[in-house]
Amino acid sequence: MPDPCYITTPIYYVNDRPHIGHCYTTTLADVAARAHRLLGRDVYFLTGTDEHADKVVAAAHERNMTPQQWADQCSGEFRKAFARLDLAPDVFYRTSDPHHKRLAADSIRTLRDRGDVYLGDYVGWYDVSQDEYLTETTAKESSFNSPVTGKPLEKRTEKNYFFRLTKYADALQRHIQANPSFILPEARRNEVLGRLKTGLQDVPVSRAIRPTDPDWGDWGVAMPDDPAHRVYVWIEALCNYLTAIDRDDPGPGAGLDAGSTAAGHSNRGDLRRYWPATLHLMAKDILWFHAVVWPAMLMALGRALPGTVYAHAYYVRDGRKMSKSLGNFIEIDLLNRYCDKFSPDAVRWYFATQGPQGATDADFSHSHFVEMYNADLANGIGNCASRVGNMVAKYFEGKLPDSGGQHTWRAQTPEGERVFDWPRITAEAVGTFRAAIAAVDLSAALRAGLSIVGQVDQFINVTRTFSLAKEITPDTPDKKALLGTILYQCAEAVRIASLLLYPACPSKMASLWRTWNCAPLRDPSDINSDFIAPLDALAQWAGPYGLAGGQAVSKGDILFMRADPAEAV
Ligand code: MSP
């Protein structure tokens, strides 16, 4: 049986319009999901929306809509944004899904029955003029006066339910220490360990409903057996990772009344096999909830902990954080224009190879985008595939020549003699890809594919393929045979490279596969289709899925047109 693999993104607040940050994390998850699927794993990929924040009810009231109507509309925007980038989650999950609400409440009940959730006193700073509790930090920053009206804040005590996070602090610390890849990247892991050492506090898991609150109806999740409280939105949202898969697959679009849909893949049967999650992806802003609060809740629930909690850095704008108040977001409309001009695959590639995947923030800059697009895609895989396809078309009537049985070549390069051992070069790239995916280094995995392309280009240059082609006459059958053998190596290497590039560029690689008649997909016209075999078999040099002499390899369209950096989007 293939190995289950569960990959998640945060579920996004519906009160924001989707922007580059949401698209970035979800693209990384999609690339990881495709890579694991290619490696032969049984993947379930979740994204979705977090719909029970206070602001949603307020925003709906303002618009004379029900919270459900407002959430449907906003959630739809996320779905649209993700579809434009060819992101294909298996489920777009929404916390207004009745199944989620029921199971999230059950989890809180279990925690309370086990004594891990208790009713205690929440002491906080209350801004009477604004009807709002403020955190200690915010209160301090404004000298214990309302940041809005300047009136003095009141210290208030409120009954609240708490989760005994403190009880799990030691076990959690041990788990993080014993499992170096539980929190990645390493810098983030060290931060969490450092903060754990300074001590923990129990965390509130409910909000008392105040008389001044708007009527929520049955929106949100009521505290089991105590409807005067609502489950705190963060706690309920974290539960989504479990509630989504504690069930049988309801199938595409079925049974998920609130509009959650299973997309892409066929009915997956009992989804419970996907726990524990393989990879929770997010940015550093919400790592604490995922790396500390959530694992402690899982321990209390008696469930296994996720394999890796990976917190990437931020996309920033000119070195500054993107925020509503600065109004400096890269909006979805701009991203869509990049998709229109350069293709969704180009945006996916840029995200996956140049984004803030590690611990350092990254800027989204137009000139850098075009530079990398030209270097890696237009002049990289695009140009290489078209050179090979064109020569096969021109000199071999579109029929791939025979491999000639020679797969290892010695050639003089400006740096000295170089051996091109194609089975080894490609097998090593596959090994690098596999290891990088396991280490959640998506950029390194994709670069392994690109490194094959670079070597093919080098091979074409050192074997003087173009001059050789021009020297062919009817009297030089040896030259033609040599050219054929060289071209076979190039084509087979590009085919293997294309497998490794597929997770970022599924649409362009599928198009190449169709023109070269080597699609490894069950349905060559569907980029979300399952693979016919795992990568090890697919990438075997001249193996059962390899290119065969005599097979049709057509020229095909240009995959990535060269771009002019001076041209705006
Ligand atoms: N609803 C919560 C998550 C609950 S998960 C159980 C939430 N939602 S959010 O809409 O604010 O999304 C935060 C996430 O969006 C970040 O963790 C990250 O994945 C993505 N990003 C938002 N802004 C970002 C950048 N500027 N850069 C990169 N990703 C960022 O928090």
Side-chain angles (χ1 to χ4, degrees), residues 182-198:
F182 178 60
I183 301 174
L184 288 174
E186 204 185 339
R188 297 275 103 86
R189 173 175 183 260
N190 294 338
E191 275 169 19
V192 171
L193 279 170
R195 216 175 130 189
L196 276 174
K197 283 201 191 96
T198 65

Side-chain angles (χ1 to χ4, degrees), residues 11-13 19 21 25 50 234 241 283 285-286 312 314-315 322:
I11 45 170
Y12 305 106
Y13 287 133
H19 59 69
T25 312
D50 181 357
W234 252 109
Y241 300 129
D285 53 342
I286 56 175
H312 59 73
Y314 283 136
Y315 257 120
M322 291 188 286

Side-chain angles (χ1 to χ4, degrees), residues 10 63 73 75 88 99 125 137 152 182 230 235 302 306 320 326 357 383 388 415 424 480 483 495 534 546 554 557:
R63 289 166 177 82
Q73 186 178 316
S75 185
H99 173 86
W125 293 98
T137 328
F182 178 60
R230 241 186 321 264
I235 298 300
R320 300 177 76 186
L326 289 173
Q357 218 204 109
N383 184 51
V388 175
E415 293 81 40
R424 216 188 69 210
K480 184 154 185 183
L483 176 67
R495 180 191 70 84
S554 39
D557 298 331

Side-chain angles (χ1 to χ4, degrees), residues 316-379:
V316 291
R317 195 84 185 266
D318 306 318
R320 300 177 76 186
K321 192 171 181 234
M322 291 188 286
S323 72
K324 257 204 184 123
S325 48
L326 289 173
N328 60 349
F329 278 115
I330 302 259
E331 296 284 355
I332 204 64
D333 305 335
L334 181 62
L335 275 187
N336 287 344
R337 292 211 295 280
Y338 274 88
C339 288
D340 295 343
K341 188 167 169 61
F342 299 96
S343 78
D345 283 12
V347 179
R348 297 167 58 99
W349 175 264
Y350 188 66
F351 278 169
T353 58
Q354 303 295 328
Q357 218 204 109
T360 318
D361 293 344
D363 244 296
F364 186 95
S365 106
H366 178 68
S367 56
H368 191 229
F369 181 96
V370 177
E371 184 191 328
M372 297 323 293
Y373 169 85
N374 278 337
D376 296 344
L377 302 179
N379 299 332

Side-chain angles (χ1 to χ4, degrees), residues 9-14 16 19-26 49-51 78 233-234 236-241 281-287 290 312-316 321-322 329 356:
T9 71
I11 45 170
Y12 305 106
Y13 287 133
V14 279
D16 263 348
H19 59 69
I20 188 173
H22 312 122
C23 291
Y24 174 65
T25 312
T26 315
T49 43
D50 181 357
E51 307 192 346
F78 278 89
V233 66
W234 252 109
E236 174 231 310
L238 285 167
C239 291
N240 95 89
Y241 300 129
L281 270 167
M282 75 219 63
K284 56 190 174 181
D285 53 342
I286 56 175
L287 175 62
H290 284 84
H312 59 73
Y314 283 136
Y315 257 120
V316 291
K321 192 171 181 234
M322 291 188 286
F329 278 115

